[in-house]
Amino acid sequence: MSIQWFPGHMAAARKEAAEQMENIDVVIEVLDARLPQASSNPMVESLRKFRQRPCLKVLNKTDLADPQATAAWAAWYDAQEGVTAYPMTTKKPSDVNRIPDLCKSLAPHRGVPTKPLRIMIMGIPNVGKSTLMNALLKKRVAKVGDEPAVTKTQQRLYLDKFTVLVDTPGMLWPKIAMESDGMMLAASHAVGTNAVIEEEVAEFLGTLLLERYPQLLTERYGMKTEGLDGVGVIEGVAARRGFRMRGGDFDYEKAAHVLLQDYRQGALGRISLETPQSRAEALERHRIEMEEKARIAEEKAARKAEEAARGKRGT
């Protein structure tokens, strides 16, 4: 399953963000700490780099992520020019309260009466942008929900007399290149449910958990993981929870939903779906796959051209 989800309001949001970027000093990109790079919108990178704007990469939901993976990601982002990584959770007011000073350090010439600091908050759906906005302002100004694409319009609000916040709708990008990225985004509920087949997403998650966190599956569901695959994980959840249909077959759909919910809510434990190393490996596999597809396409085009030439000679 190739996951793509780009509703019309996202295209409008991208256009508006591009227009506003010229008048922004610092970009806050909110990422899901469990899948930082998969949840990083390449359109955000291109927009801010075009205007040469510094970026605070907020690795949100660290309470749900593997702390070792989060530390590796923070170092990876800090090594990039114009980027500061900030692992945090909006559940801790002390974490939220540090953000204004971090932004001011990225644009020290702003934040004074004659030059207010202008901050744009960006990110994909359901990474916690609206929750962060509300926490920064200490009041409810942005609608929050456990569904992607709750925010659909841009907001401009004052954090204090010298700091302006611009909140943007969650934006994905028109084409998700790597299938694994789409699956990670779907597993983490950043993609609308109408764009995914939940059982396939759960199979992907189950396979990944078997590779990296088999002990958490055993602890949560009491299953032996040796010899299992993604399908077996879901069947194990069904067996453990007694999810049966008439006739005695496992209720596969219900078990898949429970596995995804347990991951999303942190009931399985602290899990990261990617690390800098696994990301590099995935990119290399994707590069090889694309080169192979291009080679096959070239050979196919050459054969067609040769057949067409033979046909002309024959006539």
Side-chain angles (χ1 to χ4, degrees), residues 28 32 116-117 131 161 227 247:
I28 293 177
D32 188 325
L117 177 63
T131 301
K161 289 191 295 183

Side-chain angles (χ1 to χ4, degrees), residues 250-304:
F250 290 130
D251 191 332
Y252 197 77
E253 182 179 353
K254 189 173 183 179
H257 182 73
V258 165
L259 177 65
L260 290 171
Q261 286 298 100
D262 281 353
Y263 157 69
R264 291 166 180 168
Q265 296 170 2
L268 278 169
R270 298 178 70 175
I271 291 167
S272 290
L273 300 186
E274 62 174 356
T275 65
Q277 180 178 345
S278 72
R279 183 72 187 178
E281 292 168 355
L283 287 171
E284 179 62 13
R285 286 195 300 270
H286 180 68
R287 183 190 66 77
I288 294 170
E289 180 184 333
M290 291 300 100
E291 287 181 354
E292 179 64 12
K293 284 185 177 180
R295 184 188 64 78
I296 292 171
E298 286 177 5
E299 290 180 355
K300 186 175 181 180
R303 284 197 301 270
K304 281 188 175 181

Side-chain angles (χ1 to χ4, degrees), residues 9-21 43 47 154 171:
H9 78 274
M10 291 187 184
R14 184 201 181 282
K15 182 180 178 182
E16 191 172 4
E19 292 170 351
Q20 289 285 334
M21 189 66 70
M43 293 194 302
L47 288 174
Q154 195 176 93
M171 293 186 294

